Amino acid sequence: MAQTGEKRKRETEEENGAEGGTIAAHPLSGFELKSVLRDSAREKTIFLHGQVPEDAVVILEKIPFQADAVFNLLKNEPKLKLQLKNDIYGVYHLSPPPELNEIKTTVICPATEKHIKKYLQQEIYLINETEEDYKAITLPFIETQSFSVQWVYNILEKKAESDRIVYENPDSVNGFVLIPDFKWNQKQVEDLYLIGICHQRGIRSLRDLTSDHLTLLKNIFQEGKEAILKRYGIHENKLRIYLHYQPSYYHLHVHFTALGHEAPGCSVERAHLLSDVIQNIESNPNYYQTRTLTYVLREDEVLLKKFRESGMC
Ligand code: GTA
């Protein structure tokens, strides 16, 4: 059936992610591959560096199965192509309908050199950052070289993603916005991933947290869990709630992920459980200013170079 011009225009806008009634160019128009930055068969994800013509990072990821959709597919005798049959063992190719074959596609464009390096497969090294190292090496680095947090301000000021907000405590000191993370397509709760972004500006990371922030942290912890239970029916004993140190973006935010989902960055050398953070600050208000914190840096990272130059690793 022929489509009306208006209907097709609307669909093109949705397809290309256009806002405000203008037809956007296709985000991958003229895409040329420069290199494969990383390819993980286990995670079923590939990270590409391309040009469109600006530099772009494109991340393609196969999405998790949704039990209901798979059940419907199997009960309707889908077409199977036999690959191997041996005794009780059979292996087949099943070509699912397009809606079950989606590839989540993230486009970062224009991507900076730092973005390209962030996704490049690299050697990693453990750093033990003392209080003195933080002041002399890390803090000057954060102040001059970290990623822009404009996307965070856009969320807090409702200039972007406002329709995706799950919960907000609007208090400018102790409030926050809870929103689905960029990495979650919201189609299944198995890989649930939200972030709680505080309204207060200037709290860069774990290192800045003191007893002054306990009310804020407790609000994020308590109200975040309640909002997720209400919206997604996921109980707090099925959630991993943590902060990254080092984060990529130095505006305080908390990660909420499904416990069964091994989200990137949830390993011990990066993730700090919010419940532990609250208790540590309660037992020592300056815990995070004085403790040595251990984390991993990638070979190409400027911060690693700074540590090496100062002879600290
Ligand atoms: N809602 O615009 C945004 C947005 N941006 C730019 C980042 N985030 C956003 N969320 C919304 N809107 O969880 C999210 C990120 C991240 C959080 C920042 O904010 O998805 P962080 O400061 O601790 O930084 O958290 P982190 O963890 O390094 O960031 P990120 O991007 O998650 O990278 C960690 C690793 O995850 C990467 O090295 C890579 O291995 C993997 N990864 C990143 N993006 C993807 C992806 N799209 N698909 C699969 N794997 C990914």
Side-chain angles (χ1 to χ4, degrees), residues 44-310:
K44 305 202 172 39
T45 307
I46 190 164
F47 299 76
L48 304 170
H49 171 201
Q51 285 184 326
V52 287
E54 300 111 311
D55 279 308
V57 170
V58 179
I59 306 167
L60 304 179
E61 184 183 9
K62 299 225 178 178
I63 63 168
F65 290 110
Q66 298 166 51
D68 287 353
V70 170
F71 174 65
N72 279 331
L73 175 70
L74 297 187
K75 79 175 183 197
N76 289 318
E77 296 187 9
K79 212 169 143 198
L80 295 175
K81 197 166 152 205
L82 182 67
Q83 297 299 300
L84 176 158
K85 181 87 180 108
N86 185 346
D87 189 33
I88 59 169
Y89 306 99
V91 180
Y92 305 87
H93 269 321
L94 187 161
S95 302
E99 62 277 16
L100 288 182
N101 209 8
E102 189 181 303
I103 295 177
K104 182 167 167 268
T105 305
T106 307
V107 180
I108 304 173
C109 183
T112 62
E113 189 61 31
K114 205 164 146 49
H115 285 112
I116 295 162
K117 283 185 179 163
K118 170 173 169 165
Y119 295 105
L120 187 67
Q121 183 84 51
Q122 293 177 45
E123 280 293 313
I124 50 172
Y125 301 89
L126 210 59
I127 296 289
N128 296 307
E129 180 195 83
T130 63
E131 177 182 0
E132 292 73 31
D133 295 336
Y134 177 72
K135 287 182 190 147
I137 306 169
T138 312
L139 187 55
F141 160 79
I142 295 169
E143 281 169 345
T144 55
Q145 312 222 12
S146 49
F147 280 119
S148 160
V149 290
Q150 188 54 50
W151 67 271
V152 172
Y153 298 152
N154 289 346
I155 291 174
L156 296 176
E157 292 166 13
K158 318 282 160 43
K159 292 181 182 160
E161 304 186 46
S162 55
D163 53 334
R164 287 160 45 94
I165 292 176
V166 170
Y167 175 82
E168 179 172 16
N169 173 334
D171 190 278
S172 60
V173 178
N174 292 316
F176 71 103
V177 167
L178 183 71
I179 194 161
D181 193 276
F182 195 52
K183 293 200 283 291
W184 185 38
N185 67 2
Q186 302 180 70
K187 289 206 172 146
Q188 57 287 309
V189 291
E190 285 72 15
D191 62 339
L192 174 141
Y193 200 146
L194 294 103
I195 40 173
I197 305 174
C198 74
H199 272 298
Q200 197 184 141
R201 298 196 182 185
I203 314 174
R204 287 169 290 230
S205 74
L206 203 55
R207 277 283 187 208
D208 285 339
L209 293 175
T210 67
S211 49
D212 290 347
H213 305 109
L214 277 174
T215 307
L216 166 67
L217 296 175
K218 287 179 181 177
N219 285 350
I220 297 179
F221 193 48
Q222 200 49 43
E223 294 169 27
K225 288 188 295 192
E226 285 165 11
I228 289 174
L229 178 62
K230 197 166 162 208
R231 172 72 70 96
Y232 304 104
I234 305 290
H235 194 264
E236 61 178 272
N237 63 11
K238 289 293 203 180
L239 290 176
R240 185 185 289 112
I241 307 172
Y242 56 96
L243 293 92
H244 277 159
Y245 192 74
Q246 300 283 338
S248 293
Y249 304 98
Y250 291 88
H251 174 108
L252 193 83
H253 56 274
V254 173
H255 302 251
F256 292 77
T257 62
L259 192 59
H261 172 50
E262 275 187 41
C266 76
S267 51
V268 287
E269 67 274 20
R270 186 123 194 255
H272 297 252
L273 288 178
L274 180 56
S275 52
D276 289 348
V277 171
I278 291 172
Q279 282 195 64
N280 290 336
I281 297 173
E282 280 175 338
S283 59
N284 172 3
N286 296 114
Y287 185 95
Y288 288 104
Q289 286 73 60
T290 51
R291 290 288 297 212
T292 293
L293 296 178
T294 300
Y295 54 85
V296 152
L297 290 176
R298 293 184 297 273
E299 175 74 51
D300 246 359
E301 281 191 79
V302 178
L303 187 54
L304 181 67
K305 195 164 155 250
K306 302 270 177 213
F307 269 91
R308 283 180 172 159
E309 281 167 5
S310 64

